[in-house]
Amino acid sequence: MPVVFERTRGLTEKEFHFCPGCTHGVIHRLVAEVLEEMNELGNTVGVAPVGCSVLSYQYFNCDMHEAAHGRAPAMATGIKRVLPDRMVFAYQGDGDLASIGTAEIIHAAGRGEKITVIFVNNAIYGMTGGQMAPTTLAGQRTTTSPLGRDPRQVGFPLRVSEMLATIDGAAFIERTSVHDPAHIRKTKKAIRNAFECQKANQGFSMVEILSTCPTNWGMSPLESLDWVKETMMPYYPLGNFRRPEAVTVSGASGGGHA
Amino acid sequence: MNQTMNKVLMKGNEAIAQAAIHGGCRYFFGYPITPQNEIPEYMAREMPKVGGVFLQAESEVAAINMVYGAAGAGARVMTSSSSPGIALKQEGISYIVGSEVPCVIVNISRGGPGLGGIQPAQSDYYQSTRGGGNGDYNFIVFAPANIQEAADLTAEAFEIADYYRNPVMVLGDGMIGQMMEPVVFRDTPKRELQPKDWATTGTGGVRAPNIINSLHLQPADLEKHNEHLQAKFRLMRENEARSESYQTADAEFVFVAYGTSARIVRNVVDELRERGVKAGLIRPITLWPFPVVAFKELPDTVRGVMSVEMSCGQMVDDVRLALNGRFPVGFHGRSGGMVPSQQEIIEACLDMLKEVE
């Protein structure tokens, strides 16, 4: 019988620890499939963050580093400077990248580091139990914004892709979502394009992926997917914010602001 | 003759940078801070000439994490900074020890606390010898007292870091960094090094993934990992302590001083001996491991021991521990960038000798 579906070689056989309905697993799989399809698994070094995906060094089937909180882009810089012909990626959440690691991500982009960053934005600190993140939406209740985020008191949620798109060292910046199969396919294309940018030495590349956290949002997995679409996407519009003139993969993955 | 065998007059910071390149360092990540700026500046000029990489990071925090990444990828890599900048690097240093990757960290220290000042000080002794970051750990700390020694120890530091898969720190006070002396870049003592088969260079599809990591969520695993690290630290304690003993064989009074302080105290010892006081000096070359053997070897003629530091009294704790009550221990220190004079040290010695009579 022909094989129609199988485990990607880009993932180990280690069972994910992610909560039911969390989309980290989907995103891990997409990254792994892209690296496998590009035949780069043996040529890749990944950097895991601190946060829900802290254990991703156990899941990706390639050489991995575990970074300190927020420092993944700096660590990836060190690796890439030593191994300029390897694929180097960092996988980061919103607390890691957009709060404690803002300096590292901005300057990695500014230097045009030839690394790829997978930025998973689920608008909350998951692993520590649902605290307010830099990307938590106005009015969103978390354990540290129990009455809902009040921007007049604690500031506004950051739109990281838009911010990084102003930086000339950034070659490829795109925001996608994984709330339905069509968007999952678009996300995979964006990840592929980001890695192709790196392979072509075109500069810094990042894909921001809107993701779910049913556990800490207090929703069912299905409600969470709807919340991404109805509540997150209006504030965090999908689309490509920056790409090199010569896109190396057939067809643009984004197509401007959705 | 090899060009590097020529004697050259160099500033301490530049000699340290050249010695690092001489010791095989090909990657440098740093951030400007006085009084160590000649190190990154020298690296920016010279690293590209040997096919290496100099990168100015956005912060000391980023720099040490770049070091962490480069070290994990198998490179000989260094960062340098000065006291407040070294404080910022402590997070990364703790991870680097926990992950067992080798690197060299240079601290050209200045007065503190806080922003402190930019003049030479030795008030980072605790920070350097007690780990400095979170967790149970140590690393070898070299404290050169002249430019030749700074060069020799810096080059050797890379060999030792690789040997133990643990960072090595070169701690020079601002005086060591800023003054000029003749220096020769000599052959570095070699160690038997294992191939870096743990480095993350890509599996090439021929081996299982390598993982650089300091996370151990199971308490039993973390304890086992800590025991493994402690076994390495024990080996360092047994094999790596270094010191110089000067005029201690018949001494009635022994000073303990390192770096710039030791240079001053050496003159003090000579002057006291001319005045008929049998003074001596133990100069720790490694601050960690502390050279306790040199203290055990002190003769029973000793009546007092005094730690002389450009701090408010930090190494004196280790002197007391090393002596364990055998002799009275005194302290003389200046801080904030003030350097103790020979005269005041002599007076402190004579005062203490009166007290212990």
Side-chain angles (χ1 to χ4, degrees), chain B residues 83-247:
Chain B
S83 309
I86 295 291
L88 282 169
K89 291 185 194 290
Q90 296 301 335
E91 171 195 71
I93 298 171
S94 172
Y95 278 68
I96 285 168
V97 174
S99 302
E100 294 192 88
V101 295
C103 68
V104 174
I105 301 148
V106 176
N107 180 4
I108 303 298
S109 64
R110 56 189 251 185
L115 205 46
I118 58 170
Q119 298 300 320
Q122 297 181 319
S123 44
D124 291 356
Y125 183 91
Y126 285 154
Q127 187 194 55
S128 311
T129 59
R130 267 61 180 166
N134 62 302
D136 285 313
Y137 71 92
N138 289 102
F139 45 81
I140 294 168
V141 182
F142 283 133
N146 58 60
I147 308 307
Q148 183 64 57
E149 193 174 50
D152 291 344
L153 292 175
T154 300
E156 194 183 353
F158 289 91
E159 198 75 8
I160 298 175
D162 278 352
Y163 184 76
Y164 288 106
R165 289 180 59 180
N166 203 59
V168 174
M169 177 176 278
V170 178
L171 177 63
D173 54 68
M175 194 81 83
I176 299 294
Q178 291 298 322
M179 70 184 180
M180 293 181 89
E181 279 183 340
V183 59
V184 177
F185 295 98
R186 310 189 268 228
D187 288 342
T188 305
K190 296 288 177 213
R191 305 224 172 179
E192 208 169 300
L193 298 178
Q194 302 300 314
K196 293 183 173 179
D197 54 7
W198 45 265
T200 56
T201 52
T203 66
V206 296
R207 59 159 170 78
N210 283 341
I211 296 169
I212 304 294
N213 174 42
S214 66
L215 179 69
H216 303 268
L217 286 171
Q218 299 303 322
D221 291 346
L222 182 52
E223 186 178 55
K224 199 174 158 202
H225 178 61
N226 273 322
E227 283 165 1
H228 164 69
L229 293 178
Q230 290 299 321
K232 286 205 305 191
F233 303 147
R234 269 196 301 279
L235 273 182
M236 294 177 208
R237 279 200 182 90
E238 286 163 17
N239 300 316
E240 305 299 342
R242 298 186 197 182
S243 64
E244 180 193 14
S245 291
Y246 177 65
Q247 302 273 44

Side-chain angles (χ1 to χ4, degrees), chain A residues 161 172-177 208 236-243 253-258:
Chain A
S161 287
F172 184 89
I173 305 286
E174 186 157 322
R175 183 184 290 120
T176 68
S177 168
E208 174 180 350
Y236 297 115
L238 306 188
N240 181 281
F241 296 91
R242 205 166 172 120
R243 62 168 169 264
S253 49
H257 293 235

Side-chain angles (χ1 to χ4, degrees), chain B residues 257-276:
Chain B
Y258 67 95
T260 294
S261 304
R263 298 169 69 106
I264 301 163
V265 170
R266 200 179 165 101
N267 292 340
V268 165
V269 167
D270 292 344
E271 195 170 331
L272 280 168
R273 285 204 169 243
E274 277 172 27
R275 294 194 194 183

Side-chain angles (χ1 to χ4, degrees), chain A residues 13-46:
Chain A
E13 293 191 10
K14 184 89 181 168
E15 219 169 281
F16 286 151
H17 69 281
F18 300 119
C19 302
C22 167
T23 42
H24 263 304
V26 173
I27 299 165
H28 271 54
R29 185 175 174 108
L30 295 179
V31 173
E33 284 179 352
V34 166
L35 290 172
E36 183 185 19
E37 288 161 17
M38 291 176 74
N39 199 26
E40 292 287 352
L41 278 173
N43 195 41
T44 296
V45 183

Side-chain angles (χ1 to χ4, degrees), chain A residues 41-45 50 54-55 57-58 60-69 71 74-75 77-79 81-83 86 103-105 107-108 111 113, chain B residues 27 29 53 55-59 61-62 65-66 68-70 72-73 75 91 95 199-205 207-215 217:
Chain A
L41 278 173
N43 195 41
T44 296
V45 183
V50 172
V54 66
L55 295 176
Y57 61 83
Q58 297 182 348
F60 288 114
N61 192 17
C62 59
D63 279 0
M64 292 292 296
H65 282 233
E66 169 53 40
H69 198 22
R71 317 295 177 225
M75 199 173 196
T77 296
I79 299 165
R81 294 291 177 135
V82 174
L83 304 167
R86 310 296 200 283
E104 284 78 5
I105 195 70
H107 288 279
R111 290 188 304 267
E113 288 299 336
Chain B
Y27 298 87
F29 303 94
V53 171
L55 187 61
Q56 182 168 320
E58 61 269 29
S59 67
V61 175
N65 282 285
M66 290 171 186
Y68 185 15
E91 171 195 71
Y95 278 68
T200 56
T201 52
T203 66
R207 59 159 170 78
N210 283 341
I211 296 169
I212 304 294
N213 174 42
S214 66
L215 179 69
L217 286 171

Side-chain angles (χ1 to χ4, degrees), chain A residues 4-258:
Chain A
V4 292
F5 188 79
E6 62 185 342
R7 172 194 294 278
T8 165
R9 283 193 303 113
L11 293 173
T12 64
E13 293 191 10
K14 184 89 181 168
E15 219 169 281
F16 286 151
H17 69 281
F18 300 119
C19 302
C22 167
T23 42
H24 263 304
V26 173
I27 299 165
H28 271 54
R29 185 175 174 108
L30 295 179
V31 173
E33 284 179 352
V34 166
L35 290 172
E36 183 185 19
E37 288 161 17
M38 291 176 74
N39 199 26
E40 292 287 352
L41 278 173
N43 195 41
T44 296
V45 183
V47 182
V50 172
C52 282
S53 45
V54 66
L55 295 176
S56 66
Y57 61 83
Q58 297 182 348
Y59 304 144
F60 288 114
N61 192 17
C62 59
D63 279 0
M64 292 292 296
H65 282 233
E66 169 53 40
H69 198 22
R71 317 295 177 225
M75 199 173 196
T77 296
I79 299 165
K80 186 73 179 187
R81 294 291 177 135
V82 174
L83 304 167
D85 62 341
R86 310 296 200 283
M87 290 287 233
V88 177
F89 77 92
Y91 189 106
Q92 299 184 265
D94 44 71
D96 197 80
L97 181 143
S99 189
I100 196 167
T102 41
E104 284 78 5
I105 195 70
I106 285 172
H107 288 279
R111 290 188 304 267
E113 288 299 336
K114 289 150 192 86
I115 60 172
T116 299
V117 175
I118 307 299
F119 169 34
V120 179
N121 177 2
N122 62 5
I124 205 157
Y125 283 82
M127 190 178 69
T128 45
Q131 294 81 12
M132 186 180 74
T135 52
T136 290
L137 293 171
Q140 186 182 339
R141 286 169 192 265
T142 71
T143 57
T144 51
S145 57
L147 303 176
R149 180 177 190 154
D150 179 357
R152 288 168 306 175
Q153 295 290 329
V154 297
F156 293 87
L158 293 180
R159 294 187 183 95
V160 173
S161 287
E162 287 86 338
M163 216 161 57
L164 293 188
T166 65
I167 297 174
D168 288 343
F172 184 89
I173 305 286
E174 186 157 322
R175 183 184 290 120
T176 68
S177 168
V178 286
H179 68 278
D180 65 25
H183 284 87
I184 289 172
R185 280 196 297 275
K186 278 190 182 169
T187 298
K188 183 172 176 182
K189 207 173 203 179
I191 293 170
R192 174 76 187 243
N193 277 342
F195 277 112
E196 293 287 356
C197 265
Q198 181 182 165
K199 200 174 179 182
N201 276 324
Q202 285 167 315
F204 175 87
S205 55
M206 185 187 82
V207 183
E208 174 180 350
I209 304 164
L210 303 185
S211 181
T212 60
C213 185
T215 300
N216 290 302
W217 291 354
M219 297 177 197
S220 73
L222 281 177
E223 287 166 347
S224 297
L225 295 172
D226 288 341
W227 199 79
V228 169
K229 186 180 170 192
E230 285 154 20
T231 311
M232 285 185 80
M233 275 168 48
Y235 190 84
Y236 297 115
L238 306 188
N240 181 281
F241 296 91
R242 205 166 172 120
R243 62 168 169 264
E245 306 234 327
V247 176
T248 44
V249 164
S250 55
S253 49
H257 293 235

